[in-house]
Amino acid sequence: MRRSISTLAGLTLIGLLGTVSTAPAADPDAARLPPRHATLPDLQGAYLPRSKSERARIASVTAPTRDFTAPERFEENPAGAATVRVRPTADAFSDPSGNIGLEGRMRFNLGNGLFTRAWVSAPSSTIASDGLGPLYNARGCQQCHLKDGRGHPPVDESDPPVALFLRLSIPHDGTDDPASTAAATEIEDWLATRPDPVYGGQLQNFALAGHTAEGQMTIDYTDVPVALSGGESVTLRAPSYAIADPGYGPMRDDLMISPRIAPQMIGLGLLESIPAAEILARADPDDRDGDGISGRASIVMSDEFHTPMLGRFGHKAGKATVKEQSAAAFAGDMGLSTPIFPDSTGECSPAQEACRAAPDGGDRDTGLEVSGDALDLVSFYASNLGVPARRAPGDPEVLRGKQVFYETGCTACHTPKYVTARATPEAEDQAQSFQLIWPYTDLLLHDMGEGLADNRPEGRATGREWRTPPLWGIGLTAQVTGRESYLHDGRARSLLEAVLWHGGEAQAARDRVVEMEPDDRAALLRFLEDI
């Protein structure tokens, strides 16, 4: 069954769009960006350029619909041929892309083994799994990405935070910092900051025996009632964060903190395969069209390719590729070295002398705790976690909710459709190639208002900006992870709470949801639960 759906979607899309031309085409929208970043390279894969005629056909296929009487063609398969069947269990996000074939499944399973591995301290008899820490947030990837879905904030003080941690930084003070200097030199509008000189770039709240954890994140919630039309009401919970029990001296007065929860993992390879030019074309930093929505591209210095690229991954789009996002998690969350971040002590600072002097689990020849092959397998796994099929795209209430979603203005940021880049015939991974996908994101940075602001710049993102998260699979959150938690720190306990936290550029759309008829609001939520 899965094969027949995949084949139909893939072949018919080719029929709709025709064959590809290799003639290069200029980007008419590139002038919206500063000249230095009018184009950005797609170095993460080997792709064929799109011809002018192919671009026109894709624009027609991905144009917003005006017909809400029936599902759009292929809408039931949000990941194109990579879509997977819906499982009624917590494993709904754990199937491989529907089109990766037998060899791909073998690589996927090997990557899954590494993703679920629990790492231990070094030295250990299990030399393939040692090297954890000495400071860390989790012992394995799956501890944060629950069943490949979102993480949870702690339920109470007895529930230690694992999937939620604090990013740390201080204002740039002119101190020589090669990474910040290179980014500031190469990238327009770079907001230079530095990791804390003692605690680094994130707070590790666990430590191996004999070492001291960096501290403990504390959260206090304040109730915020919101009245809705029709006599309904919702109580939001506004979090405030602090650090208790600092293990390496008092925190600086100018320390900036930002809570981050582990996001869901599905569809990452498809997001990586959207041409950068098509993301950049949607940026409108000066709001020239006057719709109140700007959208700015996150441009980052790629850790993998050492040149400016489009940031796509992370809550502020701070990483360009799945591989460097994976390598950063190995280093920051678990203290494991990879070819991209080869320091075996993770991000232990020079001030944390015992941490830096501790034994590591590096390979005798390479010195790495996670080899290049292992990082490739984990990245392949992360790129190919399949997006489940829609459950009821033709349900009348879902269709009504889709219309409300469009008319409320949600699609200004949550862009419904793209066609991914077409891989060259020689490319190793073809699963993401030339697929019509429905992720509901523009992958751009937007001002989301004071309520969601962390007041901590990151790259080009200000303290009020966040990347638009993809919405596909969001309705399966509770099924996969056991309970609902949304937004960058998991504060929202329902989809409606998440909508009501929207501010800044999304304030007008949020207010329309507050004021609309209860039946329309219910239909909107029903649509979100189905995508």
Side-chain angles (χ1 to χ4, degrees):
M1 182 65 178
R2 186 183 309 165
R3 181 179 176 80
S4 65
I5 291 174
S6 304
T7 304
L8 176 64
L11 292 177
T12 313
L13 179 60
I14 291 173
L16 271 175
L17 301 176
T19 56
V20 67
S21 165
T22 57
D27 181 357
D29 298 308
R32 292 181 178 182
L33 281 174
R36 287 168 64 188
H37 306 308
T39 61
L40 290 169
D42 283 317
L43 302 176
Q44 69 276 19
Y47 304 118
L48 296 169
R50 285 175 172 164
S51 69
K52 185 176 181 179
S53 60
E54 187 178 44
R55 286 161 55 97
R57 292 193 295 273
I58 290 173
S60 176
V61 169
T62 57
T65 184
R66 297 180 180 179
D67 180 4
F68 301 99
T69 61
E72 295 173 74
R73 201 174 183 188
F74 309 123
E75 190 175 3
E76 70 274 20
N77 293 321
T83 304
V84 300
R85 64 184 172 86
V86 183
R87 285 211 261 175
T89 69
D91 295 321
F93 286 172
S94 298
D95 281 331
S97 300
N99 58 347
I100 60 172
L102 180 59
E103 184 178 349
R105 284 174 174 270
M106 293 173 63
R107 291 185 65 194
F108 180 89
N109 290 336
L110 291 171
N112 185 25
L114 291 163
F115 194 82
T116 56
R117 173 177 294 175
W119 294 81
V120 299
S121 60
S124 168
S125 58
T126 56
I127 57 174
S129 302
D130 67 355
L132 178 71
L135 306 179
Y136 61 95
N137 294 100
R139 290 182 176 272
C141 307
Q142 188 113 287
Q143 266 196 294
C144 297
H145 303 281
L146 304 173
K147 303 294 288 184
D148 305 303
R150 288 174 170 75
H152 292 163
V155 174
D156 53 35
E157 293 182 357
S158 66
D159 184 15
V162 177
L164 178 66
F165 68 87
L166 292 176
R167 288 236 182 270
L168 311 175
S169 59
I170 62 171
H172 197 274
D173 56 4
T175 304
D176 185 30
D177 178 12
S180 295
T181 301
T185 303
E186 296 286 336
I187 299 173
E188 296 267 7
D189 300 328
W190 187 261
L191 301 170
T193 61
R194 294 182 59 212
D196 183 279
V198 175
Y199 287 90
Q202 70 186 65
L203 184 77
Q204 281 99 12
N205 55 322
F206 296 107
L208 298 176
H211 294 270
T212 303
E214 291 189 316
Q216 301 302 318
M217 174 178 60
T218 65
I219 315 172
D220 288 317
Y221 291 105
T222 303
D223 287 348
V224 181
V226 179
L228 309 175
S229 66
E232 298 179 353
S233 65
V234 172
T235 299
L236 306 180
R237 55 175 189 171
S240 58
Y241 296 91
I243 298 173
D245 305 323
Y248 297 87
M251 296 292 176
R252 295 169 58 114
D253 292 338
D254 58 355
L255 180 69
M256 298 179 286
I257 65 175
S258 178
R260 305 294 173 88
I261 203 151
Q264 67 182 26
M265 299 290 293
I266 57 174
L268 300 186
L270 293 164
L271 296 177
E272 189 178 69
S273 299
I274 300 171
E278 298 188 11
I279 304 298
L280 298 177
R282 295 178 185 277
D284 186 17
D286 299 321
D287 192 21
R288 291 182 180 180
D289 61 8
D291 67 352
I293 307 296
S294 60
R296 302 193 310 122
S298 171
I299 302 170
V300 298
M301 185 63 73
S302 168
D303 301 305
E304 186 177 357
F305 299 103
H306 310 292
T307 190
M309 291 180 66
L310 177 69
R312 300 169 187 255
F313 302 106
H315 291 293
K316 296 211 176 195
K319 294 297 178 189
T321 70
V322 173
K323 181 181 287 188
E324 56 194 66
Q325 178 76 4
S326 302
F330 274 124
D333 300 349
M334 292 172 273
L336 296 167
S337 57
T338 64
I340 294 179
F341 299 109
D343 190 337
S344 61
T345 62
E347 62 154 19
C348 290
S349 70
Q352 295 168 325
E353 296 177 358
C355 178
R356 299 201 66 84
D360 63 59
D363 177 80
R364 180 179 304 171
D365 296 326
T366 67
L368 299 174
E369 293 158 322
V370 179
S371 69
D373 288 343
L375 180 60
D376 285 344
L377 287 170
V378 170
S379 302
F380 182 84
Y381 174 79
S383 296
N384 283 288
L385 282 162
V387 179
R390 294 275 301 276
R391 278 73 68 205
D395 179 277
E397 188 178 26
V398 171
L399 289 169
R400 172 59 186 154
K402 179 182 176 182
Q403 183 174 1
V404 173
F405 186 82
Y406 277 60
E407 293 177 351
T408 302
C410 305
T411 56
C413 302
H414 291 285
T415 306
K417 293 174 281 184
Y418 297 90
V419 173
T420 59
R422 193 195 292 272
T424 63
E426 298 79 19
E428 184 178 2
D429 190 355
Q430 298 284 334
Q432 287 80 38
S433 176
F434 207 53
Q435 299 298 322
L436 173 60
I437 63 172
W438 308 66
Y440 290 94
T441 175
D442 60 8
L443 294 178
L444 296 173
L445 301 170
H446 294 275
D447 178 351
M448 293 301 293
E450 190 61 32
L452 290 177
D454 65 357
N455 300 310
R456 175 185 175 273
E458 179 180 321
R460 298 185 85 219
T462 70
R464 291 167 58 100
E465 289 181 320
W466 299 93
R467 182 206 65 163
T468 306
L471 298 182
W472 50 14
I474 198 169
L476 296 171
T477 298
Q479 175 182 316
V480 170
T481 68
R483 60 186 169 98
E484 294 182 272
S485 62
Y486 307 107
L487 300 176
H488 66 277
D489 57 1
R491 70 178 70 183
R493 297 160 294 184
S494 69
L495 290 172
L496 181 55
E497 284 190 25
V499 171
L500 296 176
W501 272 109
H502 283 49
E505 296 173 37
Q507 183 70 46
R510 177 264 187 200
D511 292 346
R512 292 186 197 109
V513 174
V514 170
E515 296 162 1
M516 66 178 51
E517 293 295 325
D519 287 349
D520 286 342
R521 199 158 49 234
L524 172 64
L525 297 176
R526 179 76 179 87
F527 169 68
L528 292 174
E529 290 167 355
D530 191 68
I531 60 178

